[in-house]
């Protein structure tokens, strides 16, 4: 299955068209060339490598530029026909939609969808699709083509003048312009039966079978069960198992290798009729293709992500993908907005930043019901953020349904690292991160840790340095640090680093006052060796040497 599309812009002229396409594919991300495109979801620096990287990762590409640029860029990768994502070139004003690659991956279908949304005609050149009004080699969901190479020969025969007849239920072909004839030698055969495709037929298998796994299973045992029942492997719609087996990695691997969904169920009465029962496997067979999404539930997934400092280019790709795939997003409203834009079908659960445990419990309840859930933090979720709250909620509950949830934590660029990178390398030697908030730990513990860290001559980064409820604590912290540091010690203040209003300030411990800092400021206090180096523009870099005297 392909990833969400990438809409690639070289200039601002195509942004309005890109937004119209994004409305059609809400999961699509708009990628704009940096310093030339304003308002894109993500920036990129180099067009060629970006396009090739998207192609290699099986991401559909919608490029708003000349078709020739796309062709020349991807030409070195075009060795494997039939193993390519859809690639389209569009005029910036949306007046032309040209499918270039991915005929077997649905590129013509995408071209028709985009053209309809833009109210233009798609420039489709595929002979079979132009002649017959459908791509016979790309059947709709619920059906699978048995043999692509044999299928190509079959379509070639029809283009050469052969007639065809249809055996079996193929509703999508009713509107096609096929050369039908009752006595035709060529047959489009829709059947779940296991057998090789004949030279004169196009064999398509409806996905009508469900395999209920009661014991241990392998790909071979599932295929053998289907074969003994006379069913083609491609007729399998999904694997089923009891809810208690959600964490069974072996089952997951079998479903992955068979390329079918894995669903979990408690009520067999919702299944189609039992067709055959074998050792550890029960096969159910429906009269029409099944929708696995209507059978049981998937294993729920709860992902805790960090958005980084705020700029889209500093978010790790795995976090972006988790956000795109999410059905529910939970977090502080500011962070949810940073994670957007959201699709209409995505549910945002915005809560106050002081309700972290309740948010974590809610996330587990949603994921336990089979939903894809993302808990959003800024920075890194494991640094004074939601990853610890999620694990704390799990530790307190140990609910069996929560333990079956697929839990994963994706890192992000923390505020300390973002500020340090903007300043240079003030954390280039041993350092520590300290939160000055006493909401969850006593102030005397904070004082003790400050004293020890300062005495150890560690560079220090302060999170939550000051607030209206704690106006005095930063001043007290600076007094403690001053016992072990000279007034000339370098200090870095990073406010909203990675966001539009970012501000970096370099000062010294002797000149720093609490009035220069607010809750959105990250404070880095250097070690005794931290120093400033001229940038050449009147400002300085800051770094802490890797050596120590």
């Amino acid at each position: 299955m392909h990833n969400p599309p990438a809409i690639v812009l070289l200039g601002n002229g195509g942004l309005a068209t890109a937004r119209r396409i994004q409305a059609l594919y809400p999961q699509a991300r708009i990628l704009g060339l940096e310093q030339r495109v304003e308002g894109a979801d993500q920036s990129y620096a180099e067009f060629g490598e970006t396009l090739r990287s998207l192609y290699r990762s099986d991401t559909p590409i919608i490029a708003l530029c000349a078709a020739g640029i796309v062709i020349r860029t991807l030409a070195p990768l075009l060795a494997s026909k039939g193993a390519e994502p859809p690639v389209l070139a569009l005029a910036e004003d949306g007046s032309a939609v040209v499918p270039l690659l991915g005929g077997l991956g649905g590129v013509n279908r995408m071209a028709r969808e985009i053209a309809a949304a833009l109210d233009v005609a798609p420039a489709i050149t595929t002979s079979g699709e132009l002649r017959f009004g459908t791509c016979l080699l790309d059947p709709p969901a619920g059906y699978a083509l048995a043999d692509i190479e044999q299928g190509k020969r079959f379509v070639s025969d029809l283009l050469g003048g052969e007639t065809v007849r249809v055996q079996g239920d193929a509703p999508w072909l009713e509107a096609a312009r096929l050369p039908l004839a009752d006595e035709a030698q060529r047959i489009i055969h829709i059947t779940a039966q296991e057998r090789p495709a004949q030279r004169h037929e196009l064999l398509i298998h409806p996905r009508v079978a469900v395999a209920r796994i009661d014991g241990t299973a392998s790909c071979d045992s599932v295929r053998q069960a289907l074969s003994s029942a006379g069913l083609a492997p491609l007729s399998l719609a999904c694997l089923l198992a009891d809810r208690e087996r959600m964490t069974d990695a072996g089952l997951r691997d079998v479903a992955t290798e068979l390329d079918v969904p894995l669903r979990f169920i408690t009520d067999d009465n919702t299944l189609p009729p039992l067709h055959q029962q074998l050792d550890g496997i029960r096969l159910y067979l429906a009269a029409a293709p099944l929708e696995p999404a209507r059978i049981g539930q998937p294993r729920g997934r709860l992902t805790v992500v960090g958005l980084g400092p705020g700029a889209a280019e500093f978010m790790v790709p795995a976090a972006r993908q988790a956000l795109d795939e999410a059905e529910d997003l939970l977090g502080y409203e500011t962070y949810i907005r940073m994670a957007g834009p959201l699709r209409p079908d995505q549910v945002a659960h915005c809560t106050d930043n002081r309700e972290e445990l309740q948010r974590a419990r809610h996330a587990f309840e949603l994921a336990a019901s089979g939903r894809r859930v993302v808990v959003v933090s800024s920075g890194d979720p494991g640094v004074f953020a939601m990853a610890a709250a999620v694990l704390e909620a799990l530790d307190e509950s140990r609910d069996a349904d929560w333990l079956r949830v697929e839990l994963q934590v994706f890192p992000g660029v923390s505020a300390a690292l973002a500020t340090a990178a903007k300043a240079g390398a003030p954390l280039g030697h041993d350092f520590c991160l300290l939160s000055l908030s006493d909401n969850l730990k006593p102030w005397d513990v904070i004082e003790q840790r400050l004293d020890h860290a300062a005495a150890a001559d560690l560079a220090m980064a302060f999170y939550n340095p000051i607030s209206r409820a704690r106006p005095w604590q930063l001043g007290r912290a600076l007094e403690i640090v001053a016992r072990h540091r000279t007034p000339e010690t370098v200090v870095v203040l990073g406010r909203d680093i990675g966001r539009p209003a970012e501000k970096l300030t370099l000062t010294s411990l002797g000149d720093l006052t609490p009035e220069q800092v607010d809750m959105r400021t990250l404070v880095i206090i250097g070690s005794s060796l931290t120093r400033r180096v001229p940038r050449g523009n009147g400002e300085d870099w800051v770094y802490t040497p890797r050596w120590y005297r």
Side-chain angles (χ1 to χ4, degrees):
M1 183 175 294
H2 294 302
N3 297 312
I7 305 169
V8 185
L9 297 177
L10 281 169
N12 260 339
L15 189 58
T17 301
R19 291 296 181 200
R20 293 175 68 185
I21 298 168
Q22 191 176 49
L24 180 64
Y25 304 116
Q27 283 188 292
R29 305 295 295 171
I30 298 176
L31 279 60
L33 183 61
E34 61 185 27
Q35 299 182 344
R36 289 183 59 182
V37 179
E38 297 178 3
D41 299 326
Q42 186 174 333
S43 297
Y44 66 88
E46 208 281 318
F47 179 80
E49 189 48 48
T50 298
L51 226 62
R52 288 187 287 271
S53 177
L54 291 168
Y55 186 91
R56 292 189 196 100
S57 65
D58 199 29
T59 298
I61 298 169
I62 304 170
L64 276 73
C65 62
I69 299 174
V70 180
I71 293 168
R72 286 191 293 274
T73 299
L74 295 180
L77 308 181
L78 305 183
S80 179
K81 180 75 170 72
E84 58 195 14
V87 179
L88 304 95
L90 271 67
E92 281 193 341
D93 62 359
S95 60
V97 179
V98 184
L100 298 176
L101 298 168
L104 301 180
V107 70
N108 288 341
R109 188 186 312 121
M110 286 185 67
R112 282 194 163 91
E113 292 169 349
I114 294 171
L118 300 176
D119 196 24
V120 298
I124 292 175
T125 59
T126 307
S127 300
E129 190 154 347
L130 288 172
R131 178 85 64 85
F132 309 133
T134 186
C135 181
L136 293 175
L137 305 184
D138 183 27
Y143 297 85
L145 185 67
D147 185 335
I148 183 64
E149 294 304 322
Q150 195 276 339
K152 292 176 186 176
R153 292 191 294 269
F154 184 91
V155 172
S156 178
D157 288 347
L158 297 191
L159 291 171
E162 294 287 348
T163 57
V164 68
R165 52 196 168 99
V166 179
Q167 289 186 359
D169 189 25
W172 79 95
L173 293 179
E174 293 175 1
R177 300 184 298 272
L178 295 173
L180 298 174
D182 291 341
E183 304 302 322
Q185 297 300 306
R186 301 296 184 273
I187 304 170
I188 298 175
H189 205 154
I190 315 297
T191 178
Q193 179 184 354
E194 180 186 33
R195 61 176 179 77
Q198 303 299 312
R199 175 65 179 83
H200 65 279
E201 71 175 348
L202 184 70
L203 184 59
I204 297 174
H205 297 301
R207 293 192 179 272
V208 292
V210 171
R212 176 82 145 85
I213 309 299
D214 299 316
T216 57
S218 65
C219 292
D220 288 341
S221 66
V222 174
R223 290 191 182 104
Q224 185 176 355
L226 290 165
S227 180
S228 68
L231 298 172
L234 288 173
S235 70
L236 184 64
C238 66
L239 295 185
L240 281 182
D242 291 329
R243 286 173 56 86
E244 290 72 20
R245 302 187 65 185
M246 282 186 178
T247 59
D248 188 327
L251 270 181
R252 180 197 61 212
D253 292 344
V254 171
T256 300
E257 187 170 340
L258 292 172
D259 195 24
V260 295
L262 175 58
R263 310 285 294 186
F264 299 92
I265 195 166
T266 55
D267 184 6
D268 287 357
N269 292 325
T270 61
L271 297 179
L274 181 64
H275 181 69
Q276 187 167 325
Q277 184 163 351
L278 302 163
D279 186 23
I281 299 175
R282 281 178 278 168
L283 293 177
Y284 297 82
L285 195 63
L290 294 160
E291 294 183 53
R294 295 179 177 272
I295 304 173
Q297 71 164 78
R299 184 187 183 191
R301 186 172 67 205
L302 172 52
T303 307
V304 191
V305 305
L307 302 178
E313 57 265 33
F314 292 137
M315 187 190 306
V316 300
R320 181 69 262 166
Q321 183 174 344
L323 291 166
D324 290 340
E325 294 175 353
E327 295 171 285
D328 299 90
L329 293 91
L330 294 89
Y332 182 45
E333 184 174 1
T334 299
Y335 303 154
I336 295 290
R337 287 200 303 268
M338 286 170 56
L342 305 185
R343 305 188 309 272
D345 62 301
Q346 290 181 304
V347 182
H349 306 267
C350 300
T351 53
D352 188 272
N353 236 7
R354 293 166 293 183
E355 300 174 5
E356 292 180 341
L357 269 179
Q358 295 94 313
R359 184 187 305 154
R361 296 180 188 116
H362 187 198
F364 269 114
E365 292 294 342
L366 290 167
S369 72
R371 296 179 69 79
R372 296 187 299 276
V373 181
V374 170
V375 172
V376 182
S377 293
S378 66
D380 182 279
V383 179
F384 306 119
M386 281 304 301
V390 166
L391 289 168
E392 183 180 347
L394 181 62
D395 190 20
E396 286 181 355
S397 170
R398 305 291 177 95
D399 184 298
D401 287 336
W402 293 14
L403 290 169
R404 296 186 190 112
V405 166
E406 181 186 357
L407 177 61
Q408 49 192 14
V409 179
F410 292 159
V413 178
S414 69
L417 298 184
T419 299
K422 182 65 67 172
L427 305 180
H429 205 301
D430 298 339
F431 67 92
C432 67
L433 309 179
L434 293 164
S435 171
L436 299 191
S437 171
D438 60 353
N439 288 336
L440 299 174
K441 64 180 181 289
W443 177 252
D444 60 349
V445 171
I446 297 175
E447 287 202 2
Q448 184 182 46
R449 291 179 178 179
L450 280 166
D451 191 53
H452 287 309
D457 200 19
L458 299 173
M460 294 178 284
F462 293 165
Y463 283 72
N464 309 310
I466 200 166
S467 72
R468 285 191 296 270
R470 297 180 286 101
W472 59 272
Q473 289 167 330
L474 176 59
R476 175 62 181 149
L478 297 177
E479 291 175 6
I480 295 170
V481 174
R483 299 173 188 165
H484 308 278
R485 296 281 200 284
T486 66
E488 294 75 30
T489 300
V490 181
V491 173
V492 177
L493 305 179
R495 188 178 191 277
D496 283 344
I497 297 299
R499 304 181 193 179
E502 75 172 18
K503 181 181 179 182
L504 186 77
T505 302
L506 305 186
T507 184
S508 66
L509 185 60
D511 292 335
L512 177 62
T513 64
E515 290 73 28
Q516 295 174 268
V517 176
D518 63 13
M519 192 65 176
R520 291 158 61 182
T521 304
L522 190 286
V523 179
I524 297 178
I525 298 179
S527 74
S528 63
L529 297 181
T530 303
R531 53 196 297 169
R532 297 169 68 150
V533 178
R535 290 180 184 242
N537 61 355
E539 299 178 355
D540 288 344
W541 290 108
V542 175
Y543 84 105
T544 300
R546 293 173 296 166
W547 44 261
Y548 203 84
R549 290 196 186 98

